[in-house]
Amino acid sequence: VDPAGDRTVGVLTKLDLMDPGTDASEVLHNKVISLKRGFVGVVNRGQMDVDSDLSIQNGLRKEMKFFRSHPVYGHDRSLQGRIGTANLARNLNGILMHHIRECLPELKSRIGGMLGDVQAELDDLGTPADATSRSTLGGALLGLLSKFAANFASGIDGKGTGNLRGPGGAAATAIGSGGGVGTDELYGGARISYIFSAIFGRSLMSVETFDGLSDEEIRTTICNANGTRPALFVPEISFDILARRQISRLEQPGVQCVDLVYEELQRIAAQSEPGELTRFPVLRDRMVEVVSNLLK
């Protein structure tokens, strides 16, 4: 736990049970085992003292009498601060106070930050519902819906996305701490624009006009449109037939584009929920259902 011995306080107990002529002064002088905080020697109440109901105060007096009458502990002035339960308590109390002074500023800062976060969350939740009269509940509902609509529009326009929230009121992942759009990924209107211009546009450009359409098929389609009548110009119906056939190849890229845009709109809707909405789970579920149906 403390291999370097920087935090450990050594405590030598039962010094009164040592053989006559021996003492622990070398250990107390920190010469045998080196500890940064040193050693303290004490004399505890023995089992006989406990059985005889010796009080703690009398035990402390007995301890001090032992140290004062000892030929080494009582005459070595350098050991006076290293013996006795009172010195041990004073030493530990000083270590505790020093640790508190070191940790208190950081602890105070953390508590202040937590209080600020909780207060911001409470502010997001708005006025308690039980403190709101029935006549103003309609206005509160309209305010929630208006906030949702404003947040959704902001997500599309790229304005004020720092006010958006995640599902259940959590902060959205694409939101920057400075109140603007995050830099990790495209979000909202920017993402939709990218889907149309890059993904869908690239899919359209990859489709060649005459892929899968041979000259023989074009001539056959024109002849079928002419019937028995020779024509100077290409019949319009043959162009419609060939164009529809080629346009049908754009269906898969178009469906993919619609799915991607729908997913992004769903994400914007989920992150546009006001923080107060978490207080009304039934209203939130109903609003999510209505919005999903509208997007579909």
Side-chain angles (χ1 to χ4, degrees):
V1 178
D2 186 22
D6 294 333
R7 298 181 292 113
T8 303
V9 177
V11 181
L12 300 180
T13 62
K14 302 181 180 179
L15 296 181
D16 56 330
L17 300 182
M18 295 183 68
D19 294 334
T22 62
D23 59 78
S25 59
E26 293 293 319
V27 179
L28 293 175
H29 280 299
N30 216 18
K31 295 180 179 180
V32 179
I33 299 176
S34 179
L35 294 178
K36 183 177 181 179
R37 300 188 183 278
F39 287 83
V40 179
V42 298
V43 174
N44 298 327
R45 292 184 301 167
Q47 187 62 44
M48 185 179 299
D49 295 330
V50 175
D51 294 340
S52 62
D53 200 20
L54 181 69
S55 66
I56 295 178
Q57 293 298 329
N58 290 332
L60 293 176
R61 294 191 188 98
K62 181 180 178 180
E63 178 192 43
M64 294 307 300
K65 181 179 179 181
F66 166 79
F67 284 125
R68 288 173 181 172
S69 62
H70 195 276
V72 176
Y73 306 136
H75 297 82
D76 190 343
R77 293 183 175 275
S78 63
L79 292 178
Q80 297 309 304
R82 289 291 178 180
I83 54 176
T85 303
N87 286 324
L88 175 61
R90 190 180 302 109
N91 191 4
L92 295 178
N93 185 66
I95 294 173
L96 177 61
M97 294 301 296
H98 179 73
H99 185 68
I100 290 176
R101 280 195 296 268
E102 284 186 342
C103 297
L104 191 59
E106 180 184 356
L107 183 61
K108 183 178 180 181
S109 177
R110 290 176 57 187
I111 293 176
M114 294 171 64
L115 286 175
D117 293 341
V118 172
Q119 186 60 49
E121 186 175 353
L122 288 175
D123 293 340
D124 286 342
L125 292 177
T127 306
D130 53 3
T132 305
S133 62
R134 295 182 62 87
S135 60
T136 59
L137 286 177
L141 174 61
L142 181 60
L144 288 176
L145 298 179
S146 298
K147 285 184 179 180
F148 174 81
N151 289 341
F152 191 88
S154 297
I156 297 294
D157 297 336
K159 301 176 182 178
T161 50
N163 296 324
L164 301 183
R165 309 293 294 178
T173 57
I175 297 171
S177 59
V181 180
T183 58
D184 295 336
E185 61 177 330
L186 292 176
Y187 172 78
R191 173 67 179 168
I192 294 175
S193 177
Y194 174 79
I195 292 172
F196 278 109
S197 61
I199 300 177
F200 184 55
R202 195 160 46 237
S203 299
L204 293 182
M205 296 302 295
S206 65
V207 177
E208 294 294 338
T209 305
F210 294 100
D211 281 351
L213 189 63
S214 64
D215 293 343
E216 183 62 29
E217 289 176 319
I218 295 175
R219 283 192 294 267
T220 301
T221 303
I222 293 175
C223 290
N224 289 336
N226 287 332
T228 59
R229 303 181 305 278
L232 180 62
F233 300 102
V234 177
E236 182 179 349
I237 188 173
S238 62
F239 175 79
D240 289 342
I241 294 173
L242 296 174
R244 288 175 182 174
R245 174 179 169 181
Q246 295 303 96
I247 290 175
S248 64
R249 299 175 56 208
L250 304 178
E251 180 180 1
Q252 192 277 332
V255 171
Q256 180 191 25
C257 176
V258 170
D259 290 340
L260 292 175
V261 172
Y262 172 74
E263 291 176 1
E264 185 61 27
L265 290 175
Q266 286 277 59
R267 184 167 75 136
I268 297 173
Q271 295 177 351
S272 298
E273 299 175 4
E276 302 96 315
L277 201 60
T278 57
R279 297 165 52 203
F280 310 103
V282 177
L283 173 62
R284 177 182 176 274
D285 293 341
R286 178 57 179 161
M287 190 178 71
V288 169
E289 179 184 354
V290 171
V291 172
S292 297
N293 292 334
L294 288 175
L295 293 178
K296 291 179 180 179

